[in-house]
Amino acid sequence: MSILDLTISEIHQALVNKTTTPVELVKEALARAKANNDNAFEILIEEQAIKEAEALGEPEVDNPFWGIPFVLKDNFSTKGIETTASSNILNGYIPLFDATVYAKLKKKKAILIGKTTLDELAMGGTGTTGHKGTTFNPWDPKHERLVGGSSCGSAACVSAGIVPFAMGSDTGDSVRKPASYAGLVGFKPSWGRISRYGLFPFAPSLDHVAYFTRDVKDAALLLDVLAGRDLHDATSSLEPVERYEEDLSAPLKGKKIAVIDDIVQTISDQKIQLAFKRSCEELAKQGAIIEHIRFGEDLLQSIYATYIVISCSEATSNDANLDGIKFGPFYPGKTYQEVMFNARTKGFSELIKRRFVIGSFSLMSENQDILFRRAQKNRRKIVNRLNEILAKVDAIYVPAAPSVAPKIVSSSYKLSDEYLIADNHLALGNFGGLPSITLPLMLEDGLPVGVNLTGAAFEEKKLLSLAAGLERITGLANLSVLNKKEGNL
Amino acid sequence: MNFEAVIGLEIHVEMKTKSKMFSAAPNSFSREPNTEIALLDMAYPGTMPIVNKQAVINAIRVANALHMTIDHELHFDRKNYFYSDLPKGFQITQQFRPIGRDGYLEVLGRDGKKKRIEIERIHMEEDTCKQLHFMDYTLLDYNRAGVPLVEIVSRPDIRNGTEAMHYVEAIRNIVLYSGTSDGKMEEGSLRCDVNISLRPYGSDAFGTKVEIKNINSLKNIEQALDYEIERQSASLLNGTPIQQETRRFDEASGKTVLMRVKTSAVDYKYFPEPNIVPIPLSDEFVNQAIATCPELYDAKKERYLAKGLNEADASIILSDIAMSRYFEKALPLVKNAKTLANFLIVEVNGYLNKNAIGIAEFPLDEASMAEISNLQDDGFTHKQCADIFNYCLANKVSPKEASSALQIEKQVVDEGAVLQAVNAVLDANPQSVADFKAGKDRAKGFLVGQVMKASHGKLNPAAVSKVMDEELKKR
C-alpha cells in the first residue's frame, strides 16, 4: 500500500516524518491520474503541481494539508487555468480569479493536480452529461456503472486512489449521492459555512461547497481550513469557526438519532434494508437513542418537483451571463440577439436547455404563483418540518441512496416512491442549508452503498462526531478501490 | 382644454459613491472607457454581489427627504432579460420590497400654489453598461455597469409640464444637497422617464399611456409635456386614438417624436436575489444615516432668508451647490450676509462667466471675499470694494495689498464736513445755482462734481448729493 492510499492525517504524519515528500506524492498522484481511464479529468495540472511541490520547504507540523495533492471540480474558478464546468459554452474560458476555497487550500500549501469532470454546469446526477461524456465508477472496471453526479470526476478521483480529497459542489445531492456510489465520505456543511465565491452558480439558494474524503476525520480537518466568513460572499456566515475534529472520538451514548421510516420503507433493496437495520441496532447498542419517525409522505413526494422548479428557475437566471459576448466561444451573428442565440444554441446541451425552459416557464409572471412561488412555499414547509425534527434529535439518519451505483443504461420509473423519495431525499439538506454527510455503510457484491446523517444548521461539530461513531461501527473508513474492505455490517 | 393630463415620473439617479452598487470597482465618471470594472461587472462566473453600504445610506437619506416609510430590512430581486448592455443577463433591483415607499413632495404648481405630489416608491438598483451605437456596430463601456442607482417613482398626480419640472427640480435639489448624486441631467446622472395619458375632465379612468424617455433638462421636461398634452389633445379631438408608444423629446423642434410602438410588456420574471440574504437595518443605522445627512436645499434656503437674503438671492446662490458651499464658508466671517451675497451674484458670477470657470477654480479664497464684503459694510463704497476685488484677481494680491496699492480711503460721510464743502461750492458758483433754480437739473450734477473734485473724492457722493438737495432748496 502506498502512502498516497492513507488518509490526509496519516499522509501528513508520513510527510512530517519525511517517509515521503510532496514531490513524490504529487508525482504518484499524477501518474495514477494518467493511468486512470474513468474519464475523471477536464485538465491535469502537471507542471504547476510539481513546481509547487518542489518549492515547499520544511514540513509544517501543524498544517495537515501541507503538500497534500487534491483536485477541484471544474466549476471552481482557477486563475489562469481553463475552467469550463464541462460545458462547451465555456470552452477556452480562463478565469481571472481564484475561488475562495482554492485560495485557502493554496495558502495551506495543498497541491492542485487537476480539475475534474461534472455534469454540464453541475446540473445532473448521473455524471454522464458533461461535454467530455460519461465519467465511470472506478468500482466497476467493466465501465458499466455510473459514479453519479454532478461531482462525478471528483468522486472518481478519490475512490480510484488518485488523491485523498477532492472538492465538489452539492445543489441537490451532487456530492453526497456520488459518495454513496463511490464508497466515500461526502460532506456538505451548512449553507454559508464555506464561501461560494468562485463556485460557478447553479442555484445559489441551494448551492453548497462540498467535498469527498476517505474518512470522517479528514472531512473535519478540511472544514477547519475551509469554513469562515468571506467578504466576497455576502451569504457566508459570521458563525464562529470551530475545531471540527475535537469530538470525533466522543461516545455515542445518549445521542438521539431520528430514522425517517417513510424514506427507508421506499427502498426495495433488501440487503440495504438489512445493513441499515443492523447499523441502527449497533448504534443503539452503543447507547444512542434511535427514534423512528415519519416525515410526511406528501412532503417527501414533493421534494423532487420542488427541487426542479427552484433549481431550474435560479439556473436559467444565473446562466444568462453565458451569452458568447464576454467569454466562451464567440459565434458571429448580425445582431446581438443572433450572437447570443447562436452561442447558447451551440454551447448548451439539450438537457441544459430543457432545464432553462422549465426554469423560465416557472418564473413567467402568469406561472409564478403555481410554480415558482408554490415551490418556495413548499420548500418552507419542508424546512419547517426538518427543523421541527432536528429540535428534538441530534441528527436524521437514512440510507443515502436506494441502490448501489446504477448501470449507465438503466432507467428508473420516475414516478415511483423509490425514485421520488429514496433517490431524492438528500435535497432536504439543501432546502434547509443543513450540514449533511454521507459515509459508506456496506458493500453489495463489491459495490459500495452509503448512509447519510443530517444535523441542525451550523452543528457540524456534533454531526461529525456522530459520523465518526458510525464509521467505527461500519468499519469502512478509508475505503477505495485500491484499499478494499469488507466492512462490519 | 378638454382633457386632463395624468402624468407620472420615473427618475433614475446615479449615486455618487466611491465604488459600485455590488462590486468594488471605482465609481467615477469621465474616465477611459472600460477601465473601471470589477469581475462582477462583467459577470464572470462565480462572482457575487456585495451591497454598497454608502448607497444604502444615500437611499435612506433621499427616502427620508421624500417623507417615505423606510423598510428596515433590505431585500433585492433579479430582473431578468437578455440585452447587450446587461452583462449578467439580469439586473439586481428591489422589485418586491423597495427601501422606501409612500412619500410625497410639495411643489409649486402653475398657479403658484403648493401642490402635493405623492411618491410611490424609491428603490436601489444597478446601472447597465453604456452603449454607443454606430451604423453597423455598437461599442460597450462597462464602466457604467453596476453604478448604483436610486429610482424614484411618483404616483400619477402631476397635471402639467410646469408641475413636472418643479417636481424634478425638487428631487434634483434633494439628491444634490444630500450628497447622493451630482444630479446632472445633461450628463445622465439624473434621468427622467415620463408617463402621460389624457382623459376627459371628471373621468376616473386612465387613457392610453405614452412614455417619453430620457429628457435631459428641466426646461425640456416642461416643454416636452406641454407639447405632448397638445399633441394628444389634438389627436383625441380628431377622433384618432392614442397608441401605446415610447417617444423622445427632440430639442431642436421642441416636439416629441416616436421611438417605438409598444407591443406586449416584457416579462422580467422577477424573483428574490439568492446571493444576498435579507439585511436587517437597525433603527440606529437608519437614524444615523438621516442624522448625518448634509443640510438639504430647503433648510439652507430658510437659513439664508433668515440671514437677510431675499428669495431671489438665495435661489441664485443655491442653484450651484459649489457656490453655496463657498457662501457658507465665507458666511461666518462677514458682517452682512446680504453684502456677501451681492458680491457673489454680481461680481463673482461675472468673473466666472467671463473666464468660463466654476467656483471651484475661483482664485479668491472665502476669507478674502469676506474681507472685501466687510469693507463695504465698514463704509467703503461698493465701487471701491469692487475695484479692490478686481485688483485682487488681476494681481493675485490680498485685499489689504489691493486697497493700499489703489490708495483707497474711506469716504467722508460726516454731515458737518459735507455741509461745509457743499456750501463752499454753492457760494462760489451762483450762476449754476441760478440755472438749477431755473429748472436746469444738469446744474446739480455739475455742482456735485465740483464738491467731489474739491474734496479729492474723499467725500461720499451719496451724502454729498443728499446735502446738496437740501441746501439748494434753502437758496
Side-chain angles (χ1 to χ4, degrees), chain A residues 191 229 231 233-236 238, chain B residues 21-22 48-57 60 70-77 92-94 97-99 124 272-283 285-286:
Chain A
W191 196 76
R229 174 75 175 166
L231 293 177
D233 174 359
T235 69
S236 63
L238 292 158
Chain B
M21 187 68 223
F22 300 111
M48 299 174 81
I50 306 291
V51 178
N52 184 324
K53 192 169 160 187
Q54 186 60 45
V56 176
I57 291 171
I60 290 170
I70 294 165
D71 196 335
H72 282 225
E73 203 171 271
L74 284 182
H75 288 250
F76 290 92
D77 307 295
I92 306 178
T93 179
Q94 295 189 291
R97 282 180 68 167
I99 187 162
M124 293 175 280
E273 165 59 63
N275 277 325
I276 304 173
V277 285
I279 302 167
L281 300 179
S282 66
D283 290 350
F285 179 82
V286 173

Side-chain angles (χ1 to χ4, degrees), chain A residues 93 96-97 191 196-201 204-205 231-235 314 317-318 320-321 326-327 336 340 344 360 363-366 368 372, chain B residues 39 42-51 78 80 82-84 86-90 96 140 142 267 269-277:
Chain A
Y93 169 58
L96 297 166
F97 72 107
W191 196 76
R196 288 182 290 117
Y197 180 68
L199 171 66
F200 292 10
S205 79
L231 293 177
H232 292 296
D233 174 359
T235 69
E314 290 186 24
S317 169
N318 291 316
N321 63 336
K326 302 160 299 262
F327 34 76
Y336 77 86
M340 289 181 179
R344 292 174 70 83
S360 202
L363 286 175
M364 281 165 70
S365 56
E366 62 265 45
Q368 274 219 11
F372 182 69
Chain B
L39 297 161
M42 294 282 285
Y44 282 109
T47 53
M48 299 174 81
I50 306 291
V51 178
R78 289 187 183 178
N80 297 285
F82 286 100
Y83 197 55
S84 49
L86 194 68
K88 292 194 288 291
F90 59 84
F96 300 117
L140 301 174
Y142 286 87
D267 182 353
K269 296 171 184 151
Y270 291 101
F271 73 97
E273 165 59 63
N275 277 325
I276 304 173
V277 285

Side-chain angles (χ1 to χ4, degrees), chain A residues 310-340:
Chain A
I310 293 175
S311 67
C312 292
S313 295
E314 290 186 24
T316 187
S317 169
N318 291 316
D319 288 322
N321 63 336
L322 308 176
D323 55 14
I325 290 178
K326 302 160 299 262
F327 34 76
F330 179 79
Y331 296 94
K334 285 195 203 78
T335 61
Y336 77 86
Q337 288 97 331
E338 257 185 53
V339 170
M340 289 181 179

Side-chain angles (χ1 to χ4, degrees), chain B residues 299-344:
Chain B
K300 277 192 195 297
K301 192 171 205 177
E302 215 164 285
R303 197 155 55 82
Y304 292 3
L305 295 180
K307 289 265 181 193
L309 270 62
N310 61 33
E311 180 80 26
D313 294 345
S315 298
I316 293 172
I317 286 171
L318 285 165
S319 69
D320 178 357
I321 191 167
M323 181 66 85
S324 80
R325 260 184 233 125
Y326 188 96
F327 176 70
E328 289 185 24
K329 229 170 147 189
L331 201 54
L333 309 173
V334 299
K335 295 181 174 163
N336 185 342
K338 174 81 174 111
T339 313
L340 172 66
N342 286 346
F343 267 104
L344 295 188

Side-chain angles (χ1 to χ4, degrees), chain A residues 77-274:
Chain A
S77 189
T78 46
K79 188 175 176 175
I81 301 168
E82 183 182 2
T83 307
T84 66
S86 293
S87 178
N88 285 329
I89 203 156
L90 282 167
N91 284 344
Y93 169 58
I94 297 174
L96 297 166
F97 72 107
D98 285 335
T100 296
V101 287
Y102 178 40
K104 284 188 164 183
L105 288 166
K106 231 189 215 175
K107 209 172 150 205
K108 285 287 172 188
K109 292 160 187 155
I111 294 166
L112 180 70
I113 66 144
K115 300 196 71 183
T116 61
T117 53
L118 55 149
D119 279 298
E120 183 173 356
L121 299 167
M123 282 184 240
T126 57
T128 61
T129 67
H131 63 177
K132 292 191 81 178
T134 298
T135 298
F136 301 103
N137 193 322
W139 288 90
D140 172 28
K142 287 188 283 185
H143 277 182
E144 286 175 352
R145 286 176 193 273
L146 304 173
V147 68
S150 63
S151 310
C152 50
S154 283
C157 278
V158 183
S159 66
I162 296 168
V163 285
F165 79 96
M167 297 306 303
S169 63
D170 188 317
T171 304
D173 56 21
S174 282
V175 160
R176 291 164 297 146
K177 183 70 84 65
S180 179
Y181 296 154
L184 299 172
V185 172
F187 184 35
K188 174 195 86 60
S190 307
W191 196 76
R193 182 67 296 175
I194 300 178
S195 166
R196 288 182 290 117
Y197 180 68
L199 171 66
F200 292 10
F202 162 14
S205 79
L206 299 163
D207 287 346
H208 294 69
V209 169
Y211 47 78
F212 301 96
T213 58
R214 287 196 292 254
D215 77 351
V216 174
K217 186 180 179 188
D218 285 358
L221 292 173
L222 197 44
L223 190 57
D224 287 353
V225 171
L226 298 177
R229 174 75 175 166
D230 177 11
L231 293 177
H232 292 296
D233 174 359
T235 69
S236 63
S237 175
L238 292 158
E239 284 279 326
V241 174
E242 298 172 272
R243 298 275 297 172
Y244 295 98
E245 71 283 11
E246 275 175 354
D247 293 345
L248 294 183
S249 43
L252 290 165
K253 192 167 166 34
K255 295 278 190 276
K256 283 189 184 167
I257 295 170
V259 170
I260 300 179
D261 283 341
D262 38 0
I263 291 177
V264 182
Q265 283 157 7
T266 60
I267 296 171
S268 52
D269 186 322
Q270 289 310 303
K271 286 181 185 163
I272 294 176
Q273 288 280 10
L274 189 63

